[in-house]
Amino acid sequence: MKDRSLVQIALYAAIFAVLGLLPKFDLPFAGGVPITAQSMGAMLAGVMLGAWRGALSIVLLLFVVALGAPLLAGGRGGLGVFFTPSVGFIVGWVAAAFVTGWLMQAMRRQSVLASALIASVVGGIVVEYAFGIVGLSLKAGLSLADATKACLIFIPGDAIKAVLVALIAQTVARGMPDALLSRHV
């Protein structure tokens, strides 16, 4: 892997970590899964870096978190975070970044705004929730239907994040098109 790719992977892992500095909001009826800005980081990593680099940036962050760094929203870190009701969402960030990046690459002939929005919704919401709902169901002892209902509260916020990622991608594509690596693979 080129040095530039390694730097970009590390940069997006750092951006993801910075999103963890924003306060989390705990909802008592969401099975212990907080609202955080970090799901936007998975969308952004995939849209900007492409499938593999985007997923690797999340893997890097999760490795550092597993070592104990408190980089998840609310200052959470350590192996314990992988045994909470949020585990499906946390692990799902890798798949979300990959699918988001893959879709951006697959739609590279379409407009950046539309591609980024579709990729963010499919990867960052549909794929992310597939993992998150299963994890919540297993860890909180909820049926899949109840876990799905508990997660509905997150959809409006994640839809806003998808729109923001699309707008960021479009802005970057206009000013620094080479920075949108998902379009240059």
Side-chain angles (χ1 to χ4, degrees):
M1 193 174 287
K2 297 178 186 176
D3 289 341
R4 183 176 179 202
S5 290
L6 292 174
V7 168
Q8 290 160 331
I9 289 167
L11 173 65
Y12 278 86
I15 290 169
F16 197 93
V18 167
L19 289 170
L21 296 175
L22 297 174
K24 68 178 178 119
F25 299 97
D26 291 309
L27 300 173
F29 49 85
V33 177
I35 294 176
T36 74
Q38 287 184 302
S39 55
M40 184 174 157
M43 295 177 199
L44 194 59
V47 164
M48 299 303 292
L49 298 179
W52 289 106
R53 288 182 196 102
L56 286 173
S57 72
I58 307 303
V59 168
L60 174 60
L61 175 93
L62 293 181
F63 175 72
V64 174
V65 165
L67 292 176
L71 300 176
L72 297 184
R76 299 174 299 147
L79 289 175
V81 300
F82 297 99
F83 298 95
T84 67
S86 297
V87 68
F89 287 98
I90 292 169
V91 173
W93 288 330
V94 177
F98 182 87
V99 170
T100 301
W102 180 81
L103 287 170
M104 274 299 286
Q105 291 166 291
M107 296 186 292
R108 68 178 155 257
R109 298 202 194 295
Q110 309 305 317
S111 79
V112 171
L113 183 68
S115 299
L117 183 59
I118 292 167
S120 293
V121 168
V122 173
I125 297 176
V126 175
V127 170
E128 176 71 16
Y129 280 57
F131 281 83
I133 289 167
V134 170
L136 178 59
S137 174
L138 292 173
K139 288 300 188 181
L142 299 172
S143 69
L144 286 174
D146 287 341
T148 301
K149 289 176 196 170
C151 290
L152 291 176
I153 190 73
F154 300 118
I155 290 179
D158 285 339
I160 292 168
K161 293 172 200 172
V163 169
L164 289 173
V165 167
L167 292 170
I168 290 167
Q170 181 182 31
T171 301
V172 168
R174 285 183 181 157
M176 296 174 39
D178 289 342
L180 196 61
L181 298 179
S182 61
R183 304 296 240 187
H184 302 292
V185 269

